[in-house]
Amino acid sequence: MQIADEQIKEKVVLHPSDNYHINIHDGTGITFSNITCKELIKELSTSSIYKCKINNKEYVSKVIYKNPNMDFNNVLKSYQNYQTLMSKDGIVDVYDFRISDCGEKFEVLMEDLSNYYDVENAEESDHLQLATQILSILKNLIKQNVIPVDCGIANFVTDGKNVKMLDLDFILRWNEVTYFNIKWFLSRLEGIKSWCPSISSGIDELVSEINTKKIKYFGSMPYNPIAAKLIEEGEKLLIEENNSEEALNKFYKALEVQPNCSAAYNNLAVISWNNDEKLKTLSLLECAYELEPENETYKTNYFDVVNSLDNESKRNNFYLTNSLSILPAKEKSDNYITLQKEIDNYSYPSNYAYDILTLKPKGSLETRVEYFVKYTPELFEKCNNFLSIGSSLGYMLLFHSFRAKKCTGIEPDLKANEIVRSVASFRNANNIELFLGTFKEFEKKDKYDLIWMGNVFQYMYVDYSWKVAEELANISSGKCIIEAPFEGNFLKQQSHLNANWKNEKLMNDYSFKRFRAEMEKYFKIISANPSGTDPLNRMLVVLERK
């Protein structure tokens, strides 16, 4: 059974998000509100095309209807990406777009291209000059860090001389794509090459460029414990409860937080195979196998499905590029071995070891992270400006450096900072800044949408007393996550670590009740749970700036 083209495109690569309604236009006055007349010219299964007029000039309005394979918020993201492009050469002019108030329609107002026809219907003698324009349009988009995922030949029209890219429903930035999105895009480039073999060298250069970026981007993407948890939950739903629908949602969410999650692709393939969707299964297994070629399960699954299909089915599988593109194994160089040994053997803190290639936590850090995932999943959410107070060996700094614009660590341990710099250099993470010192000494000039304090709050309290709440509030624009003990009697027993904890007045005033009262002046307390490090004496608390 072959899956409909738009079904696999939307279902595999788009993910659900919160509904909201929005109307954005370009400021020219060409808006939906100024349409004076409207005439239906084409009716399709999931959309309608209208000819309309504004100030006696003709335009086209496309209406997409809500359907199971289309998330309007992702379509909205695509048009917002279009709106931010510095150069829109060769792309249809879009003036207005919106999700309707009822949430059942997505509408796009664009230029009228009535005098254009499908490029694929052009005379063969015109193929090369048209394909050259198509290639130029794609290169221009890619130069702007945008991937026109669905750039198949059917998405281009011409007036016989000029070419325009018509459908802009699926334009993503690199930080928004999944591995499947990139493979989909590459398969569309192959389709253009088949339509015009004379453009092959140009397409091959572009494919090479994308593959290089693909290897760098997905190869450096860190292990995400939230994705691992979602995979575990999805497999339980699938195996123990036979609930494939809910399992499917878990696997899609795993791809949303970790777009190179090979286990998600493999498990989606299992569901597709059970639904007798063999070509879709093969497409998903190709992703899983390319991402993790050393995994014997993925390898066996892939070749079992390949061998089950006849040659005609394989030729018709337009989801595949017809050749595997295995991500190269991460080389364990002498530098890697030395750095990894240094982290594994560093005595303080002994529970912060991780694999510097994948950022997968090791030893007792793995247990701590399990508690973080359970009680403070907010710690792994995307952020723009991340601050780690007591950054230690930099696990959270390095994790967020992949997606955040800037990551700052405060750590008084010189050796720990040196190790983090070495690992950041090894991973090509150039957005990490380290401050050698304490939170009190740190210049507080920026705002941070995510602040992490791992077992350091009790030291900050000594420096500021309860004014620490105001100090945090002044630099927070989002969430603060704290792991710390909140009882003075416990700290007095640990006074060999900090002489100030012997201070009776200071310690008698240190309690979770007082912490809550002081923090609620500036923050909303989202959750408070026992810490995995010391569940009797320490807590994990999530705050959100009011």
Side-chain angles (χ1 to χ4, degrees):
M1 176 180 179
Q2 187 166 327
I3 313 305
D5 191 324
E6 73 259 13
Q7 183 178 4
I8 189 167
K9 180 181 75 173
E10 303 297 350
K11 238 354 193 172
V12 172
V13 297
L14 298 182
H15 312 292
S17 55
D18 296 333
N19 287 327
Y20 60 99
H21 312 303
I22 191 164
N23 184 19
I24 301 177
H25 54 82
D26 67 355
T28 61
I30 306 171
T31 66
F32 292 109
S33 60
N34 291 328
I35 293 176
T36 53
C37 63
K38 196 173 181 181
E39 177 187 355
L40 179 67
I41 58 175
K42 185 184 272 189
E43 188 79 55
L44 303 171
S45 59
T46 59
S47 63
S48 297
I49 309 297
Y50 295 86
K51 182 73 69 71
C52 55
K53 282 189 177 182
I54 299 175
N55 295 328
N56 292 319
K57 187 174 180 179
E58 291 186 334
Y59 299 89
V60 166
S61 172
K62 179 174 74 170
V63 179
I64 307 169
Y65 301 111
K66 191 173 183 179
N67 65 83
N69 301 316
M70 182 71 73
D71 181 352
F72 286 162
N73 292 320
N74 284 286
V75 180
L76 177 65
K77 184 192 299 181
S78 178
Y79 279 92
Q80 288 172 330
N81 287 340
Y82 159 83
Q83 193 177 48
T84 62
L85 293 174
M86 297 300 293
S87 171
K88 299 183 176 74
D89 293 344
I91 305 174
V92 63
D93 289 332
V94 173
Y95 305 102
D96 203 357
F97 52 90
R98 67 185 179 186
I99 299 176
S100 63
D101 292 337
C102 64
E104 296 296 317
K105 297 184 292 185
F106 190 97
E107 301 174 84
V108 183
L109 182 61
M110 63 182 73
E111 67 175 307
D112 179 22
L113 296 176
S114 297
N115 59 328
Y116 281 68
Y117 57 91
D118 293 341
V119 160
E120 57 188 341
N121 293 331
E123 296 290 335
E124 189 171 348
S125 58
D126 294 330
H127 282 197
L128 179 57
Q129 70 97 358
L130 296 175
T132 301
Q133 289 188 58
I134 290 172
L135 183 58
S136 177
I137 293 167
L138 297 178
K139 284 183 174 181
N140 181 46
L141 289 171
I142 289 165
K143 188 167 65 174
Q144 299 179 74
N145 198 36
V146 163
I147 304 295
V149 177
D150 196 24
C151 66
I153 198 71
N155 199 16
F156 293 91
V157 293
T158 180
D159 60 0
K161 182 179 179 181
N162 300 305
V163 172
K164 290 230 175 186
M165 186 174 177
L166 189 60
D167 189 346
L168 310 181
D169 298 344
F170 208 43
I171 296 177
L172 301 177
R173 299 195 175 277
W174 269 100
N175 63 358
E176 297 167 345
V177 297
T178 66
Y179 191 80
F180 188 92
N181 293 154
I182 297 301
K183 287 187 64 62
W184 180 271
F185 172 63
L186 292 173
S187 72
R188 290 310 190 244
L189 294 181
E190 292 295 327
I192 295 171
K193 191 165 71 170
S194 297
W195 179 75
C196 180
S198 300
I199 201 71
S200 293
S201 61
I203 293 291
D204 289 342
E205 286 179 10
L206 187 56
V207 168
S208 177
E209 177 186 340
I210 295 299
N211 274 325
T212 299
K213 289 184 178 179
K214 179 184 76 173
I215 291 168
K216 182 179 179 181
Y217 180 70
F218 291 105
S220 62
M221 190 173 287
Y223 166 86
N224 191 310
I226 299 294
K229 181 66 173 175
L230 289 165
I231 293 297
E232 179 185 329
E233 293 170 351
E235 288 176 348
K236 183 177 180 180
L237 285 165
L238 192 60
I239 297 169
E240 297 181 13
E241 302 178 29
N242 197 28
N243 188 339
S244 60
E245 184 176 347
E246 284 302 312
L248 205 69
N249 290 332
K250 295 286 185 182
F251 300 147
Y252 285 147
K253 287 178 181 177
L255 284 176
E256 188 173 351
V257 298
Q258 186 179 335
N260 68 341
C261 183
S262 55
Y265 285 117
N266 181 74
N267 293 343
L268 287 169
V270 170
I271 295 174
S272 296
W273 180 261
N274 291 339
N275 292 334
D276 199 32
E277 300 168 344
K278 293 183 178 179
L279 295 182
K280 183 177 178 181
T281 299
L282 188 57
S283 308
L284 294 165
L285 284 175
E286 184 177 295
C287 290
Y289 180 42
E290 286 188 10
L291 285 164
E292 200 175 334
E294 70 280 5
N295 188 302
E296 288 299 321
T297 298
Y298 303 164
K299 182 178 179 180
T300 300
N301 286 349
Y302 174 75
F303 285 107
D304 281 350
V305 174
V306 167
N307 293 332
S308 74
L309 297 175
D310 57 47
N311 289 330
E312 184 63 25
S313 295
K314 293 171 191 173
R315 280 194 294 271
N316 290 336
N317 190 3
F318 43 73
Y319 313 129
L320 297 174
T321 57
N322 297 318
S323 63
L324 287 171
S325 177
I326 305 292
L327 285 188
K330 295 177 181 177
E331 184 181 350
K332 295 189 176 181
S333 61
D334 290 343
N335 186 28
Y336 161 81
I337 295 169
T338 301
L339 267 176
Q340 189 64 64
K341 188 179 293 185
E342 194 167 16
I343 284 181
D344 293 344
N345 295 335
Y346 196 54
S347 59
Y348 175 79
S350 59
N351 58 350
Y352 258 62
Y354 52 86
D355 187 307
I356 65 173
L357 278 176
T358 63
L359 291 191
K360 188 170 184 179
K362 301 168 66 175
S364 53
L365 178 60
E366 186 175 9
T367 303
R368 291 187 73 206
V369 167
E370 288 174 2
Y371 273 83
F372 298 161
V373 169
K374 183 176 182 179
Y375 293 126
T376 60
E378 297 91 343
L379 184 55
F380 300 96
E381 290 178 354
K382 287 182 180 179
C383 61
N384 288 318
N385 203 4
F386 175 68
L387 175 64
S388 179
I389 305 174
S391 52
S392 184
L393 295 180
Y395 169 70
M396 292 309 308
L397 280 175
L398 292 158
F399 176 86
H400 283 290
S401 70
F402 184 79
R403 295 182 294 184
K405 290 181 180 178
K406 182 181 177 184
C407 297
T408 304
I410 303 172
E411 174 57 51
D413 186 331
L414 175 62
K415 181 62 177 176
N417 280 343
E418 289 175 350
I419 291 174
V420 174
R421 284 193 180 92
S422 296
V423 178
S425 176
F426 175 81
R427 292 183 56 83
N428 296 314
N430 55 14
N431 58 345
I432 292 177
E433 292 184 3
L434 295 171
F435 174 77
L436 180 65
T438 65
F439 179 69
K440 186 177 182 180
E441 298 162 337
F442 177 69
E443 185 180 2
K444 303 166 188 66
K445 58 182 180 179
D446 292 335
K447 294 276 189 180
Y448 304 90
D449 54 337
L450 183 60
I451 301 175
W452 160 237
M453 291 153 274
N455 201 32
V456 295
F457 183 81
Q458 61 272 34
Y459 297 97
M460 296 161 62
Y461 168 74
V462 164
D463 287 333
Y464 288 100
S465 186
W466 287 115
K467 191 176 182 294
V468 67
E470 182 182 353
E471 292 291 325
L472 279 174
N474 288 340
I475 61 171
S476 173
S477 61
K479 291 187 174 72
C480 292
I481 301 172
I482 302 172
E483 180 189 36
F486 289 103
E487 296 300 332
N489 287 332
F490 172 75
L491 290 185
K492 281 190 281 186
Q493 297 170 22
Q494 306 293 314
S495 60
H496 61 283
L497 297 176
N498 191 308
N500 290 301
W501 293 345
K502 293 179 180 179
N503 186 314
E504 288 286 335
K505 185 178 185 304
L506 200 62
M507 290 301 102
N508 288 342
D509 203 25
Y510 187 71
S511 67
F512 187 73
K513 182 178 179 180
R514 182 66 186 274
F515 168 84
R516 179 184 288 274
E518 296 295 335
M519 287 299 175
E520 285 183 336
K521 295 176 182 178
Y522 310 98
F523 297 92
K524 177 182 178 182
I525 297 181
I526 304 298
S527 64
N529 291 286
S531 165
T533 305
D534 183 0
L536 293 177
N537 299 300
R538 285 176 170 79
M539 297 186 72
L540 281 166
V541 183
V542 180
L543 310 172
E544 187 169 24
R545 187 72 167 92
K546 289 181 179 178

